[in-house]
Amino acid sequence: MFTKITDADLEGKGVIGLPDTPGLSTAEMQQKFEETARSVLVPAFNRLVEELACGVGVSGASSVGVVLPDGSAGTLQQHVLDKNNPHGLTAASIGAVTAQQMSQAIAGAVFDTGAADMTKSVYDTQNRGLDVYQYTDDAIAAAITAALNGEV
């Protein structure tokens, strides 16, 4: 488990509680100002780094709940490098648009530009997979055939 800094760790460290005129030399006063950082914060930070480091046995990452896909306790580095969606995020869970929503937005933008007559939703409603010119040729041929047969 991780170790936190307590009031006892800070007791008597630093400049808090010193008199207005502490009677210290310049070097002693500099040391007093650095005391909290050097004797409390830096060691605590370094201890945390060691606790989180990938090591033998239980790692710090497993202490915060890192679990690999096989169910074993993982290291923080393994967790960070896992690109297989270890948290099970979905587009909806983070407020992102889905691929379908994006496709609809793009199609709508294309339609709004006036190019809609060239979109599949306009000229390929039966999903035949032909280009727009083939549809035009087919329509003209059908109209000519209908006219020749007296159907018009």
Side-chain angles (χ1 to χ4, degrees):
M1 194 46 92
F2 302 117
T3 308
K4 68 181 199 175
I5 297 171
T6 66
D7 289 338
D9 296 325
L10 297 170
E11 187 67 35
K13 304 285 192 305
V15 296
I16 294 176
L18 290 180
D20 290 345
T21 306
L24 300 173
S25 70
T26 301
E28 291 171 326
M29 195 63 193
Q30 289 171 343
Q31 287 177 341
K32 202 65 173 157
F33 268 98
E34 290 287 322
E35 185 176 32
T36 303
R38 290 180 181 265
S39 68
V40 179
L41 299 178
V42 170
F45 177 81
N46 288 338
R47 186 172 49 251
L48 178 61
V49 168
E50 290 171 6
E51 290 169 346
L52 288 173
C54 304
V56 179
V58 179
S59 71
S62 63
S63 296
V64 293
V66 175
V67 178
L68 297 177
D70 66 4
S72 64
T75 66
L76 187 58
Q77 183 178 18
Q78 288 170 319
H79 183 69
V80 169
L81 295 175
D82 184 355
K83 304 300 182 202
N84 294 315
N85 197 10
H87 298 283
L89 294 177
T90 63
S93 71
I94 60 171
V97 296
T98 64
Q100 180 181 3
Q101 291 168 323
M102 183 58 71
S103 293
Q104 289 172 339
I106 291 170
V110 168
F111 186 86
D112 291 344
T113 67
D117 59 342
M118 296 298 288
T119 62
K120 180 179 176 178
S121 62
V122 171
Y123 76 82
D124 191 12
T125 57
Q126 298 172 352
N127 201 24
R128 293 173 32 197
L130 303 175
D131 66 40
V132 69
Y133 301 110
Q134 185 63 53
Y135 286 103
T136 304
D137 291 347
D138 290 353
I140 291 171
I144 291 171
T145 301
L148 291 174
N149 292 332
E151 299 170 5
V152 180

